[in-house]
Amino acid sequence: MTAGTGEAIAGFLDPALPLWNPEEDDVLVVRQVRPETHDVKTFVLAPKTPRRFAYQPGQFLTLELEVGGEKLNRCYTIASAPTRPGTIAITVKRVPGGPVSNFLHDTLVAGSEIRAVGPMGDFTCLAHPAPKYLFLSGGSGITPLMSMARSFHDLAEARDIVFVHAARTPADIVFRDELGLMARNQPSFRFAPICEGDAPFERWSGFRGRLTPALLKEIAPDFMQREVFVCGPSPFMAAARTILKDAGFDMARHHEESFNFAELAAAEPEVAAEVIAAEAAIEAGPAVATVPVYKVEFAKSKRVVEVPADVFVLEAARRAGMRLPSSCTKGMCGTCKSKLVSGTVEMKHAGGIRQREIDAGLVLICCAKPTSDLVIEK
């Protein structure tokens, strides 16, 4: 080890390090890129100068990227554990046609720099302490649950955890070896992967098929007594929700996260169409307007939408059939950040936008209601 390397390590291990604050410096440096499966990579990130990360397992970062000359925001759940505060990691699945995931996979190497905001989000086991947990994940939805599992493992917490992960084939099981190690280290931790089929060079001998009531009862006979966290593609989460409801599970102990799949929805028009159709089905209210209605023009698409003063701009645009980037729809992630060319809005966000960005005319249209006619640069 060189003297310079030793000094760098010592710097990041200094217990007196201040916390990373994206308001002061939002640039993170890629320290390492790790292949997890054939289409999944982990990106280990650190501040330029030694800082500590503080977050709750299950929270997310919003990356601010320039891809093909266009500025894009995407949310990625933190896969690492806050028990190791020197670095932070996101694990990203390459999505066919997905502009951001392909950019990350093809472009980022050790030394690359990206901008990020966060951590944010309320999907965390810390908010729901329990002696027994059931983690249900599908595909790349494993990341927030992995952060939780890593945290309990690092702290040698004797929590009774059943971790069920659904994948297409054994070759698609993300963190397979590490989860197996956790199970060997902690008798109270059980890892139960489910695969739909075999891999080209491996015949699967474990649980096979898709998550069903019978399979869940076989894996976790006492699931009714557990605090349940779910993350994965919409069909997977819907199936888990139905299984639990039909069993009479107390849904107050059911928690799910879904916005990680915003890029997937953008890459698959039929998924986006389902979302739009569902939101369009929401009753628009009485025919006689009781509040002012404003015209909102989207400059790039040349679309004009009428938005009542008590409706968020994003919601009204989606009802009109527009497909606009968004993820959390709670003012946290920043994915829907847009330039307000003219007009005024009432906006109550949850940390997804900085004050300097607001001063520069940016708004989060998911939590912005018009107070005049608007022109938005989208």
Side-chain angles (χ1 to χ4, degrees):
M1 179 184 296
T2 65
T5 302
E7 291 172 1
I9 293 176
F12 277 96
L13 294 179
D14 183 353
L17 278 180
L19 295 177
W20 176 66
N21 183 356
E23 288 287 350
E24 297 174 357
D25 184 4
D26 58 3
V27 176
L28 297 177
V29 179
V30 178
R31 295 297 183 192
Q32 187 182 41
V33 180
R34 301 171 183 162
E36 302 289 353
T37 70
H38 62 98
D39 61 354
V40 176
K41 289 182 178 181
T42 288
F43 301 90
V44 181
L45 312 170
K48 282 186 172 182
T49 56
R51 292 286 189 275
R52 289 181 299 118
F53 290 103
Y55 56 95
Q56 297 181 352
Q59 290 190 301
F60 63 91
L61 287 177
T62 298
L63 303 188
E64 300 182 343
L65 305 162
E66 186 167 328
V67 181
E70 182 180 2
K71 291 185 178 180
L72 299 175
N73 295 300
R74 288 291 187 276
C75 305
Y76 287 102
T77 304
I78 300 164
S80 52
T83 47
R84 306 184 187 191
T87 60
I88 202 166
I90 58 171
T91 298
V92 181
K93 178 182 174 65
R94 184 192 290 272
V95 178
V100 173
S101 65
N102 283 277
F103 172 82
L104 297 177
H105 273 245
D106 296 336
T107 306
L108 293 194
V109 296
S112 297
E113 296 183 355
I114 59 175
R115 294 183 180 278
V117 179
M120 293 175 281
D122 52 13
F123 181 72
T124 174
C125 57
L126 296 190
H128 306 280
K132 300 169 71 173
Y133 289 99
L134 173 62
F135 294 164
L136 300 174
S137 65
S140 56
I142 195 172
T143 51
L145 305 181
M146 191 64 184
S147 179
M148 298 179 200
R150 283 170 164 163
S151 299
F152 285 126
H153 182 263
D154 280 356
L155 296 172
E157 281 273 356
R159 301 295 178 98
D160 185 336
I161 299 173
V162 177
F163 198 132
V164 180
H165 178 65
R168 292 186 182 278
T169 75
D172 296 300
I173 302 174
V174 186
F175 308 125
R176 180 180 181 181
D177 291 341
E178 186 178 351
L179 285 164
L181 177 63
M182 288 183 187
R184 290 193 293 274
N185 288 344
Q186 295 181 250
S188 62
F189 182 92
R190 287 175 283 162
F191 176 49
I194 305 171
C195 292
E196 294 183 33
D198 301 324
F201 301 104
E202 180 181 359
R203 182 171 178 77
W204 182 244
S205 59
F207 295 109
R208 183 180 285 265
R210 298 190 177 186
L211 188 66
T212 63
L215 191 53
L216 180 58
K217 183 170 286 189
E218 181 180 354
I219 295 171
D222 61 346
F223 72 89
M224 296 287 286
Q225 303 167 20
R226 297 176 177 272
E227 198 81 11
V228 179
F229 285 81
V230 187
C231 187
S234 296
F236 175 84
M237 292 196 302
R241 202 180 308 121
T242 298
I243 291 170
L244 294 172
K245 283 183 178 178
D246 289 350
F249 185 79
D250 177 6
M251 297 305 285
R253 293 188 291 115
H254 163 269
H255 318 280
E256 65 179 30
E257 183 68 285
S258 62
F259 66 78
N260 291 14
F261 297 88
E263 185 176 30
L264 178 61
E268 298 183 8
E270 65 274 15
V271 176
E274 290 178 6
V275 174
I276 293 170
E279 293 188 348
I282 300 173
E283 291 185 0
V288 179
T290 58
V291 297
V293 176
Y294 298 107
K295 290 185 177 180
V296 177
E297 177 185 348
F298 294 87
K300 288 185 179 179
S301 62
K302 306 298 183 183
R303 290 289 304 273
V304 177
V305 176
E306 291 191 345
V307 183
D310 59 351
V311 175
F312 295 122
V313 173
L314 177 63
E315 180 183 355
R318 281 185 165 177
R319 288 182 183 178
M322 294 187 68
R323 291 174 54 190
L324 297 171
S326 67
S327 289
C328 72
T329 68
K330 300 176 183 176
M332 292 191 299
C333 70
T335 304
C336 67
K337 197 178 298 176
S338 306
K339 176 71 173 180
L340 185 60
V341 179
S342 65
T344 57
V345 299
E346 176 189 348
M347 180 175 66
K348 295 181 180 179
H349 64 90
I353 189 169
R354 302 178 181 87
Q355 185 57 49
R356 65 173 182 266
E357 293 175 316
I358 296 174
D359 295 341
L362 294 173
V363 296
L364 299 178
I365 59 174
C366 73
C367 58
K369 296 177 181 179
T371 55
S372 72
D373 290 343
L374 309 177
V375 176
I376 295 174
E377 192 180 85
K378 271 195 178 303

